[in-house]
Amino acid sequence: MLYLVRMDVDIPDAVGLEEADALKAREKAYSQELQRGGEWVGIWRVVGEYANYSLFDVDSHDRLHEILSNLPLFPYMTIQVTALATHPSAIG
Amino acid sequence: MLYLVRMDVDIPDAVGLEEADALKAREKAYSQELQRGGEWVGIWRVVGEYANYSLFDVDSHDRLHEILSNLPLFPYMTIQVTALATHPSAIG
Amino acid sequence: MLYLVRMDVDIPDAVGLEEADALKAREKAYSQELQRGGEWVGIWRVVGEYANYSLFDVDSHDRLHEILSNLPLFPYMTIQVTALATHPSAIG
Amino acid sequence: MLYLVRMDVDIPDAVGLEEADALKAREKAYSQELQRGGEWVGIWRVVGEYANYSLFDVDSHDRLHEILSNLPLFPYMTIQVTALATHPSAIG
Amino acid sequence: MLYLVRMDVDIPDAVGLEEADALKAREKAYSQELQRGGEWVGIWRVVGEYANYSLFDVDSHDRLHEILSNLPLFPYMTIQVTALATHPSAIG
Amino acid sequence: MLYLVRMDVDIPDAVGLEEADALKAREKAYSQELQRGGEWVGIWRVVGEYANYSLFDVDSHDRLHEILSNLPLFPYMTIQVTALATHPSAIG
Amino acid sequence: MLYLVRMDVDIPDAVGLEEADALKAREKAYSQELQRGGEWVGIWRVVGEYANYSLFDVDSHDRLHEILSNLPLFPYMTIQVTALATHPSAIG
Amino acid sequence: MLYLVRMDVDIPDAVGLEEADALKAREKAYSQELQRGGEWVGIWRVVGEYANYSLFDVDSHDRLHEILSNLPLFPYMTIQVTALATHPSAIG
Amino acid sequence: MLYLVRMDVDIPDAVGLEEADALKAREKAYSQELQRGGEWVGIWRVVGEYANYSLFDVDSHDRLHEILSNLPLFPYMTIQVTALATHPSAIG
Amino acid sequence: MLYLVRMDVDIPDAVGLEEADALKAREKAYSQELQRGGEWVGIWRVVGEYANYSLFDVDSHDRLHEILSNLPLFPYMTIQVTALATHPSAIG
């Protein structure tokens, strides 16, 4: 099932550059593994913002929450989840 | 270039069922032709709402506006456009 | 899978009382059948508003959209869907 | 009487991981006791967010406020309470 | 139990002056009867707006919804209900 | 003249528990004195939130601002003031 | 006492030009009489919008509501009232 | 002086296509004359929306309001005006 | 030219009482000088809030920005500026 | 292609004046270089706010994100990007 997820990231200064970079590196590896696994279908940067839109294809709400809540940057994220159904015009 | 577009549709009752159905049929054909052409990359229904999220890959703002403003249902739509850049984690 | 759905209803005067009552009767029958079937787990009235919160347990986004978009009152509804995952504190 | 309650949790970094975990453990025990007692009817995680929707069945506003304001995480919560009445379509 | 209720009224022109006045007269009588009965504790006009704040003291959510949904002007109202608990500083 | 006032309180952790308790004690004494004096007509807790609705009956805007801005917790409050006029349906 | 009032006007097309012009003429006369009387201290047009900010100096909430609710254009207005107190920096 | 102005246009169906087209033609001529005159510095279409951002360089608020309120489509516009000052980084 | 300006002040605790008082004293002197000069036409306290509405009469956007951005409390302010034109009903 | 970009800047006190001034100097140099290069077409100060509107003319979303995300003040900015198409009334 498909979900559109918007993630806005706001890492407080108090976290420090070094730790922030480490978090971002772990976030990248975590995301790319899920992309290779096919659950994280796509990820795009919102122009001008420290935010992304991502498309997920997973089996259940629980699985999606597991993925999102284990994002290394999760504590510094505001996340909006939209459930997507098949559109009658979609040719895919 | 990629754009994420949300379209919320609200056809006033005054339009009448017959004309509304005709508009929807033209909308479907219009969309499917652009999907086959590759500019309309994906379209998904927002669960529970007369709305969709669509992904477009077009060459310019003007082209996207041309596509959107010529949607048969355009007069009855509220549209939000988000420009998407390449995400550093994207493996695609 | 569980979804929390808020439905706000606003039937324009132009619809007329008779037709509105017919729609409401069909809506009630439609809802009660789905409640008996187990997919529509609960429905409660928001105090003071022509709105309800409902809990659905269905197999997919598509199924939920099918249920909601076929509500007799769907054309006069504003609907918000929230996907619910299992809470770590839930004892149920 | 039924209340739908949304709780959004935001524990500042300054609280520290250890204390945060202790708070969460106390929160879980507090919630599960009330669930066993029947006043906390249900609790579900909002997918992708450190938030839950809960259903309470208590005798009065004062009782609900007592329960909520004594949540260990209450100081770090944004809470929205919606009073729910019996819906005319409900078969339960 | 106490509830603070805000009612914003917007009667469409299409209703016509005569019918609107009739509705308002019935609304006034309906409200004053409940005030005399003690359930409608207070009603005040929001300065500059066709809106009021009212204080209700009723036994249950269902009773409050019954009162509000039977207001003659209910179809033309936007209503917000806030459940009020006893305040620790209240001397009353 | 009557004013409805909503006060949302948010005391930052940095204030410390001891000082916060001292502030709350002073706030309670300050409020109760004004209640006894008749200017602070009523105070109720918003269920589930560190917020209250209060009704004031004072002679002027300046007097109300004097009362509110001298609340011990004023620096940690978000306050909304609504001027209330006599409602044509009010029987009081 | 001083009040800042913002008035946004939206006269539906259905009212018709002639009646709208008549309403506006009556509104202008009504306003100018109150300005001459000193209660309507100032009125300014919000640039680019069919809206104004006005400053009123009246004796009570009831008086201000009486003035505003008897504006010929009142049925087509959205009004926001802000109570103004003396500012400690004001030299006036 | 520079102003950034956003204009969102919403022409109700009741206006009819012919009259709408006539309004749009008059709007275009009106705008182009002001562009040639130098007061209307720039006008751009918001992609996907019946809205534009325009830059005006005029001598006073009154002049800008005169220009905007005489737009043929003014009755069907929602307009937001932002006053722009010289930016310290601007090299122009 | 007239501008209505709303200023909401929020001085973080970290600034310390002494420095805050010094800032407020400088702010008062700064404002009173401009009031005497005639550019700061009026300043009023929003009842119940650490905010004011002010009326400015200055020659240009740049001048207003110069005045506002040099307010001692500017770093702790949220400011909204509304350009005001002459109202056709104004008798002044 | 044209983009309108609003940038709101909020540098926390914790950054310190010296570092903030250094960031601002680098920001100015960075912006002026892009203005000379023609990609940063215009930049204007929003009167009364630590914010600007800027007009960019760049070849792709990626390029704009590269420019914006490398702004020295980017970590302390809230940015809104609006894609602009050619307006049918534009004479330029």
Side-chain angles (χ1 to χ4, degrees), chain F residues 8-79:
Chain F
D8 285 75
V9 183
D10 181 14
I11 306 174
D13 275 1
V15 165
L17 283 184
E18 227 180 280
E19 200 199 321
D21 287 342
L23 279 171
K24 291 176 191 174
R26 282 174 45 218
E27 182 91 359
K28 184 169 185 173
Y30 179 89
S31 164
Q32 295 190 330
E33 197 194 320
L34 288 163
Q35 290 178 60
R36 283 188 291 272
E39 287 183 297
W40 198 322
V41 174
I43 177 169
W44 302 273
R45 174 64 79 215
V46 175
V47 173
E49 303 186 50
Y50 192 2
N52 74 65
Y53 272 105
S54 287
L55 208 53
F56 288 88
D57 188 353
V58 294
D59 293 336
S60 69
H61 297 338
D62 280 6
R63 174 57 184 151
L64 181 61
H65 186 72
E66 186 187 19
I67 289 174
L68 296 175
S69 56
N70 284 298
L71 284 163
L73 289 175
F74 180 73
Y76 309 118
M77 281 183 168
T78 303
I79 290 181

